[in-house]
Amino acid sequence: MTDVVPEIATADGPPRRGRPPVSEEQRQRQRLDISRHAVRLFAEQGVAGTSGEQIAQAAGVSERTFWRYFPHKESCVEPLLTRSVDAFCAVLRAWPADLELIDHLREAYTPVVDSSSDEDVDAVLDVVRLTHGEPALRAVYLMLHERAEAALVDVLARRLGQPSGAIDVRVQAAAMSAVLRVATDDVAQATVGGVTADMLDGHREQLARALSLVLRGLAQAVGG
Amino acid sequence: MTDVVPEIATADGPPRRGRPPVSEEQRQRQRLDISRHAVRLFAEQGVAGTSGEQIAQAAGVSERTFWRYFPHKESCVEPLLTRSVDAFCAVLRAWPADLELIDHLREAYTPVVDSSSDEDVDAVLDVVRLTHGEPALRAVYLMLHERAEAALVDVLARRLGQPSGAIDVRVQAAAMSAVLRVATDDVAQATVGGVTADMLDGHREQLARALSLVLRGLAQAVGG
DNA sequence: CAATTATTGGCAGCATCTGCCAAGAAGCGC
DNA sequence: GCGCTTCTTGGCAGATGCTGCCAATAATTG
């Protein structure tokens, strides 16, 4: 967001000296890498059966730095899951004012993860499936969707010309994020034996249809 | 659920001997009592600043039995929160087929908690407010609402004559539970300085209106 | 009271997570 | 290259979270 080229000093302070902090991007990549290892271990031996030490070892970092990257071991699934949820939010942010939502999604949305490797698609779906039967992971999943909800509030408030605190905006955003969650759970359940492009397309249609229905009802509330 | 009078043996087995297990009801009362102490401590010194030992001491039980009643210390808020969510689900279950939802709620719903002491009403609202700024509590809150969502799925499936796995039913239930959550957060925010009956009535109206809007859009999907 | 079963509390012990500090890494100017 | 500065890393100690095990006790029946 507020990036500056590392050469120049931050704002007007004294010129930077010493080792520069690692870039946020690199940090995210590190977290994602650990996340992949953690998810594999969680799937193999359950969450309770995997210790932080084990994850750290698998990822090739010390236990201490592992705990620096993740406050709780369950949050290891966050980097992978975020990719899926954030992709959806990004598409919503780019929703043109003169286009029906359903058409925009058909145009711009690739479900689960956008522009990502096949392995990550599988990994994300694995995590979603894991969240059933692993309450701790489910809690992380739900928290993530609530973060998405906050993003949707911003999008909808701007689109509807209402303050982001407006109750109608918040209801609409909550309903949309709930629909996204149900649809995601659904596609994860449907793809236990492997995922095909057809399935993802079906998911998009289902999601678009359900979202349209929710919005149809709510649009009347805000005079749409 | 599968209750039997303690006098008689369970089913056809040998007649019961020895100390009978404590009733589920009494267990719930014990949990609720601990819950009240925990919430007070959480509010006073934060979740991180309150140890399980402290809660146990305040509630007058040993630490060991405390951990037997609650698997994680954050779940201490569950018994109190459950009262609120369960009350809503119970009202929904009693929703007559020939009545508009909004009218049924006006007739049968008392927001936050039904038939409970004033102190508990305040305590529930305190917890809801605490969930902002205390992510661990928020996670419990969200998990609870997802349990409510499952209950709503049953209600809606029966009402609409659809299987409970139907995607439309699940979407509708998810949207409703999301609306309940937003409305509850809203009333908690509005009642920081104390709650009056007027506020709760306003909350019911707001909830009823938002639910009607969500259902209006979704009803067309299932041919309502 | 004896026998039986459930709950409780204490203790040991592993897992989770944090604070602190020393070692090393990566940039700077010389 | 060599200092100088700042950041990251890893190791260690320690508090808290949480579980398994066992002895003590409570509540029931015969």
Side-chain angles (χ1 to χ4, degrees), chain A residues 135 138-139 142-143 146 149 167-168 170-171 174-175 178-179 181-182 185-186 206 209-210 213-214 216-218 220-221, chain B residues 135 138-139 142-143 146 149 167-168 170-171 174-175 178-179 181-182 185-186 206 209-210 213-214 216-218 220-221:
Chain A
R138 190 69 184 176
L142 295 181
M143 292 286 282
E146 204 177 32
E149 191 177 314
I167 191 75
D168 287 327
R170 280 161 56 206
V171 164
V179 169
R181 175 173 51 75
V182 170
D185 279 336
D186 199 62
Q206 195 172 66
R209 177 167 155 276
L213 291 170
V214 170
R216 187 187 308 170
L218 290 165
Q220 309 171 357
Chain B
R138 191 69 183 175
L142 296 180
M143 292 286 281
E146 204 177 32
E149 190 176 315
I167 190 76
D168 286 328
R170 281 162 54 207
V171 164
V179 169
R181 174 174 50 75
V182 169
D185 279 336
D186 198 62
Q206 193 173 68
R209 176 168 156 276
L213 291 169
V214 169
R216 187 189 307 170
L218 290 165
Q220 309 170 359

Side-chain angles (χ1 to χ4, degrees), chain A residues 66-167:
Chain A
F66 168 72
W67 289 121
R68 260 194 273 265
Y69 275 88
F70 295 97
H72 328 289
K73 76 172 171 185
E74 305 85 25
S75 45
C76 284
V77 300
E78 212 198 72
L80 267 172
L81 284 181
T82 298
R83 295 167 75 85
S84 163
V85 176
D86 287 356
F88 177 78
C89 289
V91 169
L92 259 272
R93 250 187 288 271
W95 178 17
D98 59 350
L99 199 59
E100 283 290 319
L101 175 60
I102 195 165
D103 295 321
H104 174 59
L105 287 180
R106 283 205 186 97
E107 237 172 58
Y109 182 52
T110 306
V112 182
V113 269
D114 209 9
S115 71
S116 181
S117 71
D118 284 357
E119 283 122 31
D120 272 357
V121 175
D122 284 334
V124 169
L125 292 173
D126 276 343
V127 180
V128 175
R129 281 187 288 265
L130 273 180
T131 62
H132 303 100
E134 292 278 9
L137 300 191
R138 190 69 184 176
V140 175
Y141 184 60
L142 295 181
M143 292 286 282
L144 207 70
H145 274 274
E146 204 177 32
R147 257 192 27 205
E149 191 177 314
L152 293 184
V153 162
D154 286 343
V155 171
L156 290 176
R158 206 172 327 121
R159 188 178 185 86
L160 300 173
Q162 295 218 339
S164 43
I167 191 75

Side-chain angles (χ1 to χ4, degrees), chain B residues 12 19 24 31 34 44 49 65 80 82 89 95 107 111 114 120 141 161 170 172 179 197 202 208 211 216 218 220:
Chain B
D12 50 3
R19 173 181 184 166
E24 191 56 33
R31 275 174 57 93
I34 299 176
E44 285 173 10
T65 52
L80 266 172
T82 298
C89 289
W95 179 17
E107 238 172 58
D114 209 9
D120 273 357
Y141 184 60
R170 281 162 54 207
Q172 200 158 338
V179 169
L211 281 179
R216 187 189 307 170
L218 290 165
Q220 309 170 359

Side-chain angles (χ1 to χ4, degrees), chain B residues 37-81:
Chain B
H37 286 283
V39 167
R40 182 175 44 78
L41 290 173
F42 286 165
E44 285 173 10
Q45 23 181 327
V47 174
T50 315
S51 66
E53 189 184 1
Q54 234 177 320
I55 302 174
Q57 199 166 359
V61 296
S62 79
E63 195 182 341
R64 187 61 187 85
T65 52
F66 168 72
W67 290 122
R68 259 194 275 265
Y69 274 88
F70 294 97
H72 328 288
K73 76 172 171 184
E74 304 85 27
S75 45
C76 283
V77 300
E78 211 198 72
L80 266 172
L81 284 180

Side-chain angles (χ1 to χ4, degrees), chain A residues 1-38:
Chain A
M1 295 295 183
T2 60
D3 256 359
V4 290
V5 277
E7 231 72 280
I8 309 301
T10 41
D12 51 1
R16 285 219 51 2
R17 318 208 313 152
R19 174 180 184 169
V22 76
S23 71
E24 191 56 30
E25 183 196 349
Q26 190 158 347
R27 189 181 166 77
Q28 298 306 333
R29 235 178 308 144
Q30 172 83 294
R31 275 173 58 92
L32 184 59
D33 181 57
I34 299 176
S35 184
R36 284 191 259 252
H37 287 283

